[in-house]
Amino acid sequence: MKNRPIYERMGFALAGIREAYAREQSFRIHVRTLAGAILALLVLRPSAIWWAAIAIVAALVLAFEMINSALEGLVDLIHPEVHPEIKVVKDMASGAVLVAGFAAIVVALCLLIAVAPRFLGELRGWIG
């Protein structure tokens, strides 16, 4: 696989994303959550820095979810039996997704706190 042209390597990466979406319910949930975040960004119209912050935490959540799923799949293939150390490894990978998810929630809350006064003022102007 090394030293392949960039378009082939991109193809492998895109195939991995497609597989994650097809196989992993958690990944699909994260993608739908990202779609909701993009919709909120379009409605709230925050500054570019908030778009960047949301993009970074969303990318981290999706990337960690794919790494977690890949690690779980590989471990299950190599060692299908239940083993306490394998459980620890899987739990830590899952915990990484959770930490990234909490970071995303914190960024989303900070965004809402930052733009709420302006947005509510605009809303009052629209209503009456």
Side-chain angles (χ1 to χ4, degrees):
M1 293 293 178
K2 284 191 158 276
N3 299 322
R4 299 270 183 121
I6 187 73
Y7 66 88
E8 282 187 36
R9 292 181 296 189
M10 288 292 288
F12 299 145
L14 292 172
I17 294 170
R18 279 192 302 273
E19 285 298 320
Y21 190 84
R23 294 181 183 203
E24 297 296 329
Q25 180 181 5
S26 294
F27 188 80
R28 290 189 299 274
I29 290 169
H30 293 309
V31 169
R32 285 192 294 272
T33 303
L34 173 57
I38 292 170
L39 181 62
L41 288 167
L42 290 169
V43 169
L44 296 172
R45 298 181 338 269
S47 64
I49 193 71
W50 287 109
W51 283 83
I54 295 292
I56 291 167
V57 293
L60 285 172
V61 169
L62 293 173
F64 279 129
E65 184 62 49
M66 286 191 296
I67 292 167
N68 179 47
S69 297
L71 183 63
E72 284 184 356
L74 181 61
V75 167
D76 288 346
L77 183 66
I78 293 171
H79 197 286
E81 301 84 30
V82 176
H83 189 281
E85 282 302 310
I86 289 175
K87 180 188 181 319
V88 169
V89 169
K90 288 175 150 185
D91 288 351
M92 286 193 284
S94 182
V97 179
L98 185 63
V99 168
F102 282 146
I105 290 169
V106 168
V107 170
L109 290 173
C110 290
L111 165 66
L112 291 175
I113 291 167
V115 301
R118 177 193 52 81
F119 183 73
L120 292 174
E122 288 177 5
L123 204 58
R124 274 189 233 114
W126 295 338
I127 295 173

